[in-house]
Amino acid sequence: MATVLMCRRLPRLSRVTPISATAKHGSSKSKKEKRDKPGAAKTGTRSGATIQLLKAQDYRVLYNPAAYAKGRAGSQQHGDRDSSQALGDTFTSPGAAQAPQTFPTASSRALSPGRSALPKASTLLEQSRLYKEEAEKEKREMHDSKEDPRTFQKGRPEYRALTCDSAEPAQPLPAEEGDRILQSVAGCEGSPGVLRDYFLQLSHLPAERRAALGSDARFSALCHRAVTAIRLFSTPDLILILKACVPLAVPASHPLLNACEAEFCRRAWDMGLEQLLLVADCWRCLDRSVPSYLGILFSYANLRWKDLTLPQFVQLLYIIGEGRRSPADLAQKVESTILKHLDAFTLEELGAICLGLFKSLSGISEHVMRRIADRVALQMEDMSTYALVNVLKMLRYTRMDHLPLMRELGRVIPARIPATNIQGIMHITLTYSSLHFFDEDVLAAVATSLPSKVSYCRSKDAAKFLWSFGCLDYEPPNEEEFYSSLIKQLHAKLHEFSKFPEHLLTALLGLAFVKRFPEELIDFALREEFVQKTRGSKYELNKDLFTLGKSVEIECPTYQGSHLTPQLCQEFAEMVSSFAEREIYVRPEIVEATSLLESMLGGPEYVKNHMILPHTRSSDLEVRLSTDGRPIPFNFEDPVATKKLRDMGVNLTDDLMSQLIQGRAHNRSPTEVGNESRIPSQERGDTTVTTYMGGALPAGATSQAEPKAGLWQPGEVRLALQVSNRNHFCYGSRRLLGLHCLKRRQLRLLGYAVVELPFWEWFPLLRRTRSEKLSYLHYKVFSPALLTRAA
């Protein structure tokens, strides 16, 4: 069959896209079959004939319930890296103070500078309408990190005694009355009751007048008098002054707040739990970090846990989340209290509980998370999208599969996507990729809505979208618009990547999974300056750099930009290999396959258990055959790992087999759950090759890695046997994840014939007789079709 070669170039975006020479006229990826949706088997094939196609193109996470869709369709209402590292069978290596008298000016949120220009309107009325629509869209897209998590507090009247109401006063104090109060400060003797009343009255001034108090010397004198008299205030009066500081927008570093915090810490054990929670809420509204006070609050709550009411418990978890602190001694009590009140919580309270646990990185048992998910799955339509997203965050964090919830989510969420803000959509999408759950309806709804919202994406959001779609091997019907808009946004956010280098690598790996290589961004990511920033990151980014750098070498022969140095590649390869010897080569399914292949082919010199491509971080069983089917000896080393395998032995117990065959998502390691990836659309099959890591590179490509011994011999067929497992595939399906598809694509580019030993075939055979296993492996290795194609 002849292969058709078609090339088209857009500005500076390389992409390799295989196209079938026999594809029907008019076929396109937008008609690509839906594959392997959990619960519904889907079939489809992809042609193997290939081409090279070069295409191109050119955190403050901030109550805005309108940012999310409310309830039924049509109604409105830490910088963790999460699963952004690209790991398959891999491993994990492990504010300025303001001047006391300076107050911020209260103002409405500015419109996004990245929004599209409004279209020309023929009339003033039309212009007014368009600007109104744009303002409403802006409001939906903005996320207020102070107010949005507090929505649950509006569901019960009991929260009024526990929280600071930041709403504007119903009857504002006239400005002239404020001037009279400030004028009288000079002659005031400073009695606690008078000082308290002054703060309360000033907090009722109109917003613009309150904003001007920061530069008023009379207000500074009032604050100074309150500091001097701090111990004379009763506890209720001191709480009232602290509450008044919220509408007065007193800066978090102001001396008055310093004095209040110290005094509340001194009095804490003499206060009631209701008072302690109210003060903690005031600190949150003032955006002041108070770890000492929170430590006292948590100890107090721990001792009086049985006295907590339901609203007090939920408010406590909200404070725990906003303080980003997880008291270890409360974990068991939190879980038992969640189960005790599970049916009594409102749906918004359930969302607040999950958000608090997620923000504080609090672990939660599978049993408790499953009970929460059970209830959410039954009442999802009545839950706001904001609360639902918070439950998904915790589901993702606990790495737990919950099929009823995910199926109901796939039914409910697509209609809500257009009215959900960009960060909510990102977290929904990331949940699907983190749990390896493929749902084309949800992903298509995301892809359709995203281009018009892309200007609101932070660098993190854009990266997670690209990662998630690449991880799940999904290229949507509007793929060109989808990818070009996100790549353009990456360019617009380039300045953010110096602070958050992990986001750029996340984005570029997600693109690499779908064979897209934006050259300017890759060049930026592989420059020495950026590589040094990744080395100083709190995340382990070496493996991601290695995968990206080597993938570019193999798949982009015309790329002329920066590369990783040979020294770095060697360092990364040794790191990955060291892990593989400890964790991958010794897996029972791989040990058994290696031993049987050695027996079948004639000895250890005919099989090599290693990583042909170390940057793809999973093992291969390499076998070489002549074109007439005879095994060729080539493994004359005596690797320590192989010797260890023969000596150790593995007992295939019922428990082990159950884990191998029926293991669930929550049994995976964090790296396995969040970081595996995509299947290629179709595969290339270049035949002109040069050596690369014992394999080959496409003609014209250059490698910075030192070639290993073992050049291709005439008439030689190299097989790369893949002993796959559940975590290489989407949940409940046979749809490969992105990293493993990238690997198989690159092995074929290097001239290897990829032979799959899929877990659904191989794992059950591990319990069968030796002869049955040998028969299966013989069929796989000596496939007539394979040898015919090679010949």
PDB file of all heavy atoms in Angstrom, residues 531-545:
ATOM      1  N   VAL A 531      15.341  25.724  32.389  1.00  0.00           N
ATOM      2  CA  VAL A 531      15.674  24.443  33.008  1.00  0.00           C
ATOM      3  C   VAL A 531      16.145  24.660  34.441  1.00  0.00           C
ATOM      4  O   VAL A 531      15.789  23.912  35.358  1.00  0.00           O
ATOM      5  CB  VAL A 531      16.750  23.702  32.188  1.00  0.00           C
ATOM      6  CG1 VAL A 531      17.276  22.498  32.953  1.00  0.00           C
ATOM      7  CG2 VAL A 531      16.182  23.263  30.845  1.00  0.00           C
ATOM      8  N   GLN A 532      16.914  25.726  34.665  1.00  0.00           N
ATOM      9  CA  GLN A 532      17.378  26.022  36.018  1.00  0.00           C
ATOM     10  C   GLN A 532      16.218  26.369  36.949  1.00  0.00           C
ATOM     11  O   GLN A 532      16.230  26.029  38.130  1.00  0.00           O
ATOM     12  CB  GLN A 532      18.389  27.179  35.986  1.00  0.00           C
ATOM     13  CG  GLN A 532      19.729  26.788  35.383  1.00  0.00           C
ATOM     14  CD  GLN A 532      20.342  25.561  36.061  1.00  0.00           C
ATOM     15  OE1 GLN A 532      20.369  25.457  37.298  1.00  0.00           O
ATOM     16  NE2 GLN A 532      20.827  24.620  35.254  1.00  0.00           N
ATOM     17  N   LYS A 533      15.198  27.050  36.400  1.00  0.00           N
ATOM     18  CA  LYS A 533      14.025  27.364  37.221  1.00  0.00           C
ATOM     19  C   LYS A 533      13.283  26.091  37.619  1.00  0.00           C
ATOM     20  O   LYS A 533      12.777  25.974  38.735  1.00  0.00           O
ATOM     21  CB  LYS A 533      13.095  28.307  36.468  1.00  0.00           C
ATOM     22  CG  LYS A 533      13.637  29.721  36.307  1.00  0.00           C
ATOM     23  CD  LYS A 533      12.625  30.623  35.657  1.00  0.00           C
ATOM     24  CE  LYS A 533      13.219  32.011  35.434  1.00  0.00           C
ATOM     25  NZ  LYS A 533      13.599  32.655  36.708  1.00  0.00           N
ATOM     26  N   THR A 534      13.217  25.125  36.717  1.00  0.00           N
ATOM     27  CA  THR A 534      12.540  23.875  37.058  1.00  0.00           C
ATOM     28  C   THR A 534      13.319  23.113  38.131  1.00  0.00           C
ATOM     29  O   THR A 534      12.718  22.437  38.961  1.00  0.00           O
ATOM     30  CB  THR A 534      12.378  22.967  35.825  1.00  0.00           C
ATOM     31  OG1 THR A 534      13.661  22.517  35.377  1.00  0.00           O
ATOM     32  CG2 THR A 534      11.683  23.706  34.698  1.00  0.00           C
ATOM     33  N   ARG A 535      14.627  23.253  38.116  1.00  0.00           N
ATOM     34  CA  ARG A 535      15.439  22.556  39.109  1.00  0.00           C
ATOM     35  C   ARG A 535      15.187  23.121  40.508  1.00  0.00           C
ATOM     36  O   ARG A 535      15.361  22.430  41.497  1.00  0.00           O
ATOM     37  CB  ARG A 535      16.922  22.683  38.770  1.00  0.00           C
ATOM     38  CG  ARG A 535      17.287  22.258  37.359  1.00  0.00           C
ATOM     39  CD  ARG A 535      17.375  20.764  37.216  1.00  0.00           C
ATOM     40  NE  ARG A 535      18.726  20.294  37.463  1.00  0.00           N
ATOM     41  CZ  ARG A 535      19.089  19.014  37.424  1.00  0.00           C
ATOM     42  NH1 ARG A 535      18.191  18.102  37.140  1.00  0.00           N
ATOM     43  NH2 ARG A 535      20.331  18.664  37.654  1.00  0.00           N
ATOM     44  N   GLY A 536      14.790  24.410  40.565  1.00  0.00           N
ATOM     45  CA  GLY A 536      14.526  25.031  41.854  1.00  0.00           C
ATOM     46  C   GLY A 536      13.076  24.958  42.275  1.00  0.00           C
ATOM     47  O   GLY A 536      12.697  25.522  43.297  1.00  0.00           O
ATOM     48  N   SER A 537      12.245  24.271  41.491  1.00  0.00           N
ATOM     49  CA  SER A 537      10.820  24.195  41.799  1.00  0.00           C
ATOM     50  C   SER A 537      10.564  23.255  42.972  1.00  0.00           C
ATOM     51  O   SER A 537      11.340  22.336  43.244  1.00  0.00           O
ATOM     52  CB  SER A 537      10.044  23.703  40.568  1.00  0.00           C
ATOM     53  OG  SER A 537       8.705  23.412  40.898  1.00  0.00           O
ATOM     54  N   LYS A 538       9.434  23.483  43.655  1.00  0.00           N
ATOM     55  CA  LYS A 538       9.062  22.576  44.750  1.00  0.00           C
ATOM     56  C   LYS A 538       8.528  21.256  44.214  1.00  0.00           C
ATOM     57  O   LYS A 538       8.327  20.308  44.969  1.00  0.00           O
ATOM     58  CB  LYS A 538       8.018  23.240  45.649  1.00  0.00           C
ATOM     59  CG  LYS A 538       6.686  23.549  44.975  1.00  0.00           C
ATOM     60  CD  LYS A 538       5.719  24.202  45.958  1.00  0.00           C
ATOM     61  CE  LYS A 538       4.397  24.544  45.281  1.00  0.00           C
ATOM     62  NZ  LYS A 538       3.434  25.161  46.230  1.00  0.00           N
ATOM     63  N   TYR A 539       8.269  21.200  42.905  1.00  0.00           N
ATOM     64  CA  TYR A 539       7.802  19.966  42.279  1.00  0.00           C
ATOM     65  C   TYR A 539       8.964  19.251  41.609  1.00  0.00           C
ATOM     66  O   TYR A 539       9.959  19.867  41.232  1.00  0.00           O
ATOM     67  CB  TYR A 539       6.726  20.274  41.235  1.00  0.00           C
ATOM     68  CG  TYR A 539       5.516  20.954  41.800  1.00  0.00           C
ATOM     69  CD1 TYR A 539       5.286  22.310  41.564  1.00  0.00           C
ATOM     70  CD2 TYR A 539       4.600  20.258  42.577  1.00  0.00           C
ATOM     71  CE1 TYR A 539       4.167  22.949  42.093  1.00  0.00           C
ATOM     72  CE2 TYR A 539       3.478  20.889  43.102  1.00  0.00           C
ATOM     73  CZ  TYR A 539       3.272  22.234  42.860  1.00  0.00           C
ATOM     74  OH  TYR A 539       2.175  22.861  43.381  1.00  0.00           O
ATOM     75  N   GLU A 540       8.823  17.940  41.445  1.00  0.00           N
ATOM     76  CA  GLU A 540       9.822  17.147  40.732  1.00  0.00           C
ATOM     77  C   GLU A 540       9.522  17.243  39.243  1.00  0.00           C
ATOM     78  O   GLU A 540       8.569  16.636  38.751  1.00  0.00           O
ATOM     79  CB  GLU A 540       9.760  15.694  41.221  1.00  0.00           C
ATOM     80  CG  GLU A 540      10.532  14.707  40.370  1.00  0.00           C
ATOM     81  CD  GLU A 540      11.957  15.139  40.128  1.00  0.00           C
ATOM     82  OE1 GLU A 540      12.726  15.230  41.100  1.00  0.00           O
ATOM     83  OE2 GLU A 540      12.289  15.407  38.954  1.00  0.00           O
ATOM     84  N   LEU A 541      10.307  18.037  38.524  1.00  0.00           N
ATOM     85  CA  LEU A 541      10.034  18.297  37.115  1.00  0.00           C
ATOM     86  C   LEU A 541      11.048  17.650  36.179  1.00  0.00           C
ATOM     87  O   LEU A 541      10.931  17.781  34.957  1.00  0.00           O
ATOM     88  CB  LEU A 541      10.006  19.817  36.860  1.00  0.00           C
ATOM     89  CG  LEU A 541       8.998  20.617  37.697  1.00  0.00           C
ATOM     90  CD1 LEU A 541       9.103  22.106  37.366  1.00  0.00           C
ATOM     91  CD2 LEU A 541       7.584  20.119  37.477  1.00  0.00           C
ATOM     92  N   ASN A 542      12.042  16.971  36.730  1.00  0.00           N
ATOM     93  CA  ASN A 542      13.083  16.396  35.874  1.00  0.00           C
ATOM     94  C   ASN A 542      12.521  15.399  34.869  1.00  0.00           C
ATOM     95  O   ASN A 542      12.901  15.397  33.695  1.00  0.00           O
ATOM     96  CB  ASN A 542      14.148  15.699  36.734  1.00  0.00           C
ATOM     97  CG  ASN A 542      14.952  16.692  37.552  1.00  0.00           C
ATOM     98  OD1 ASN A 542      15.008  17.873  37.234  1.00  0.00           O
ATOM     99  ND2 ASN A 542      15.574  16.214  38.611  1.00  0.00           N
ATOM    100  N   LYS A 543      11.610  14.553  35.326  1.00  0.00           N
ATOM    101  CA  LYS A 543      11.064  13.525  34.440  1.00  0.00           C
ATOM    102  C   LYS A 543      10.258  14.144  33.301  1.00  0.00           C
ATOM    103  O   LYS A 543      10.288  13.666  32.176  1.00  0.00           O
ATOM    104  CB  LYS A 543      10.202  12.558  35.262  1.00  0.00           C
ATOM    105  CG  LYS A 543      10.972  11.859  36.362  1.00  0.00           C
ATOM    106  CD  LYS A 543      10.077  11.013  37.245  1.00  0.00           C
ATOM    107  CE  LYS A 543       9.079  11.849  38.018  1.00  0.00           C
ATOM    108  NZ  LYS A 543       9.725  12.778  38.964  1.00  0.00           N
ATOM    109  N   ASP A 544       9.528  15.220  33.628  1.00  0.00           N
ATOM    110  CA  ASP A 544       8.745  15.887  32.587  1.00  0.00           C
ATOM    111  C   ASP A 544       9.650  16.545  31.550  1.00  0.00           C
ATOM    112  O   ASP A 544       9.376  16.489  30.349  1.00  0.00           O
ATOM    113  CB  ASP A 544       7.835  16.935  33.221  1.00  0.00           C
ATOM    114  CG  ASP A 544       6.725  16.314  34.055  1.00  0.00           C
ATOM    115  OD1 ASP A 544       6.655  15.068  34.091  1.00  0.00           O
ATOM    116  OD2 ASP A 544       5.945  17.055  34.659  1.00  0.00           O
ATOM    117  N   LEU A 545      10.705  17.170  32.025  1.00  0.00           N
ATOM    118  CA  LEU A 545      11.679  17.760  31.095  1.00  0.00           C
ATOM    119  C   LEU A 545      12.267  16.690  30.191  1.00  0.00           C
ATOM    120  O   LEU A 545      12.418  16.885  28.980  1.00  0.00           O
ATOM    121  CB  LEU A 545      12.815  18.427  31.881  1.00  0.00           C
ATOM    122  CG  LEU A 545      12.675  19.899  32.245  1.00  0.00           C
ATOM    123  CD1 LEU A 545      13.850  20.319  33.111  1.00  0.00           C
ATOM    124  CD2 LEU A 545      12.602  20.767  30.995  1.00  0.00           C
TER     125      LEU A 545
END
